[in-house]
Amino acid sequence: MITKREQIAARKRAADMIRQAGIRITNDEAAAIEVVDFGLSNLEKEGVQVLTLVQTERISVKVLALFPNQTEPEHWHPPVGDDPGKEETIRVIAGKVYFYTPGEDSFKDGFLLDGKEECYTMRHELVLEASDQITLQPGEKHWFQAREQGAVMYSFSTTARDVLDQFTDPDIVRTTKIIEK
Amino acid sequence: MITKREQIAARKRAADMIRQAGIRITNDEAAAIEVVDFGLSNLEKEGVQVLTLVQTERISVKVLALFPNQTEPEHWHPPVGDDPGKEETIRVIAGKVYFYTPGEDSFKDGFLLDGKEECYTMRHELVLEASDQITLQPGEKHWFQAREQGAVMYSFSTTARDVLDQFTDPDIVRTTKIIEK
């Protein structure tokens, strides 16, 4: 959970990063940025900020902002009914993103959170910078991490059903609880 | 048809516009910009420049650049096999776009090319500026036009099959012929 105040601050910070990266967004869009702590109550370490630009039954376009040294936990997009699962292309706009996918263990410059090694099983490392992109197939496990500068990226995909995503960490709950305080 | 020289010049001009709009692209991407004259050999008046960022079996992401007073001819995206047709969201990044869709005739600030009135039958006018977006359903006829500043926009869509698009103008051929000269 996060407090309402933390949510507002994280939203503002993410909107500033997105605009700094050259992506023009409206004030209404900035105010709708989703702050996601994955139910872990440790937003600065494990979380992501998400601005949804397009969400239809067929496609989805989001802008993702990662704060410095923030990690989006390992997850995958399972089949849903007739849909084989979300196919997603991540394109980095600003910052450097350490991206982990299936493949040979080449883990080198990323870091694992203390005591959470088992929640991050993909160790094939790709370092993506501005204008680099990667396409993830449905079901392909992945996680990613920003460093000192943070990062801003687009996610272009087939329709997103975020609450049905699956995570390696059994403690994760996709819906962030916001408490008044 | 256009000459190889015209193609190279239009590509460079479009890449400059895209970068000016704050969209970071690689040199390889700039060199792959498609210059489309729709077989009308009148690129400055009727045409579009297209940079494809993502093209899979399921989704497509393009950056479109329109030169000042250039018009993209009226067209629609028909069903193809099991696919009901391309669904597309256009989001304007820079410039002003005069957009025409089905609906009440509100034609006011756009212009029709001399003698081509019958090729532009949609007259419901929407004026889109930076951060405005519109979603087009499969089969929905549309055309759009830039004014003095030109325009840059994203097209986020289900998979694109450009050569199967249908056009009101019977003279249109979707594949641009490039001649050496």
Side-chain angles (χ1 to χ4, degrees):
Chain A
M1 66 177 70
I2 56 173
T3 66
K4 187 79 193 160
R5 180 176 298 187
E6 284 167 335
Q7 182 192 38
I8 290 169
R11 224 174 229 164
K12 185 180 178 321
R13 192 173 167 200
D16 288 348
M17 287 176 68
I18 291 168
R19 287 172 165 149
Q20 199 71 35
I23 301 175
R24 194 160 162 177
I25 60 172
T26 65
N27 290 338
D28 283 352
E29 288 168 337
I33 290 172
E34 191 192 357
V35 177
V36 184
D37 81 341
F38 299 98
L40 300 173
S41 303
N42 194 15
L43 181 70
E44 293 288 320
K45 296 271 179 60
E46 291 178 290
V48 66
Q49 292 63 233
V50 183
L51 168 54
T52 299
L53 295 181
V54 180
Q55 171 64 15
T56 75
E57 292 288 307
R58 299 177 72 192
I59 70 164
S60 174
V61 178
K62 296 166 186 261
V63 182
L64 311 181
L66 280 183
F67 296 147
N69 301 308
Q70 196 181 32
T71 302
E72 165 143 348
E74 183 170 287
H75 66 286
W76 64 98
H77 309 291
V80 180
D82 289 343
D83 182 341
K86 185 170 96 163
E87 175 199 286
E88 180 177 32
T89 295
I90 298 282
R91 182 177 173 96
V92 176
I93 303 303
K96 200 181 266 195
V97 181
Y98 292 76
F99 213 99
Y100 300 91
T101 63
E104 193 193 358
D105 185 339
S106 56
F107 194 82
K108 184 167 156 272
D109 292 320
F111 63 88
L112 296 167
L113 283 95
D114 285 348
K116 304 211 71 169
E117 291 78 4
E118 289 177 12
C119 302
Y120 292 89
T121 63
M122 298 294 105
R123 304 288 173 89
H124 184 66
E125 183 174 282
L126 296 161
V127 183
L128 305 181
E129 300 190 64
S131 305
D132 289 338
Q133 61 186 46
I134 179 176
T135 297
L136 301 155
Q137 296 307 314
E140 197 171 337
K141 287 188 186 177
H142 57 286
W143 60 279
F144 46 98
Q145 184 170 77
R147 300 305 278 278
E148 297 70 22
Q149 317 126 285
V152 174
M153 60 209 106
Y154 273 108
S155 162
F156 305 120
S157 73
T158 58
T159 195
R161 298 182 177 90
D162 297 339
V163 296
L164 300 179
D165 284 349
Q166 295 183 346
F167 293 85
T168 306
D169 184 345
D171 293 337
I172 285 180
V173 181
R174 181 57 179 81
T175 307
T176 298
K177 192 169 167 190
I178 313 294
I179 56 165
E180 297 291 341
K181 201 176 164 182
Chain B
M1 67 177 69
I2 57 173
T3 65
K4 186 82 193 156
R5 180 175 298 186
E6 286 167 335
Q7 182 192 38
I8 290 169
R11 225 175 231 164
K12 185 180 178 322
R13 193 173 166 200
D16 288 347
M17 288 175 66
I18 291 168
R19 286 172 166 149
Q20 199 71 36
I23 300 175
R24 193 160 163 176
I25 60 172
T26 66
N27 291 337
D28 283 352
E29 287 168 337
I33 290 172
E34 190 192 358
V35 177
V36 184
D37 83 340
F38 298 99
L40 300 172
S41 302
N42 195 16
L43 181 69
E44 293 288 321
K45 296 271 179 59
E46 290 177 291
V48 66
Q49 293 62 234
V50 183
L51 167 55
T52 298
L53 296 181
V54 180
Q55 172 62 15
T56 74
E57 293 289 307
R58 300 177 72 192
I59 70 164
S60 175
V61 177
K62 296 165 186 263
V63 182
L64 310 181
L66 280 182
F67 296 148
N69 302 307
Q70 195 181 32
T71 302
E72 165 143 348
E74 183 170 288
H75 66 286
W76 64 98
H77 309 291
V80 179
D82 290 341
D83 183 341
K86 185 171 95 164
E87 175 199 286
E88 180 178 31
T89 295
I90 298 282
R91 182 178 174 96
V92 176
I93 304 302
K96 201 182 266 195
V97 181
Y98 292 77
F99 214 99
Y100 300 91
T101 62
E104 193 193 0
D105 185 339
S106 56
F107 194 81
K108 184 168 157 269
D109 292 320
F111 64 89
L112 295 168
L113 282 95
D114 285 348
K116 302 211 72 170
E117 292 77 6
E118 289 177 12
C119 301
Y120 293 89
T121 62
M122 298 296 104
R123 304 288 173 88
H124 184 66
E125 184 175 280
L126 296 162
V127 184
L128 305 182
E129 300 189 65
S131 307
D132 289 338
Q133 60 186 48
I134 180 176
T135 297
L136 300 154
Q137 296 307 315
E140 197 172 338
K141 286 189 186 177
H142 57 285
W143 61 279
F144 46 98
Q145 186 169 75
R147 300 306 277 279
E148 297 71 20
Q149 318 126 284
V152 174
M153 60 209 105
Y154 273 108
S155 163
F156 306 120
S157 74
T158 58
T159 194
R161 298 182 178 90
D162 297 339
V163 296
L164 300 179
D165 283 350
Q166 294 184 348
F167 294 85
T168 306
D169 184 346
D171 292 338
I172 284 181
V173 181
R174 181 56 179 79
T175 307
T176 298
K177 194 170 166 190
I178 312 294
I179 55 165
E180 297 290 343
K181 202 174 163 184

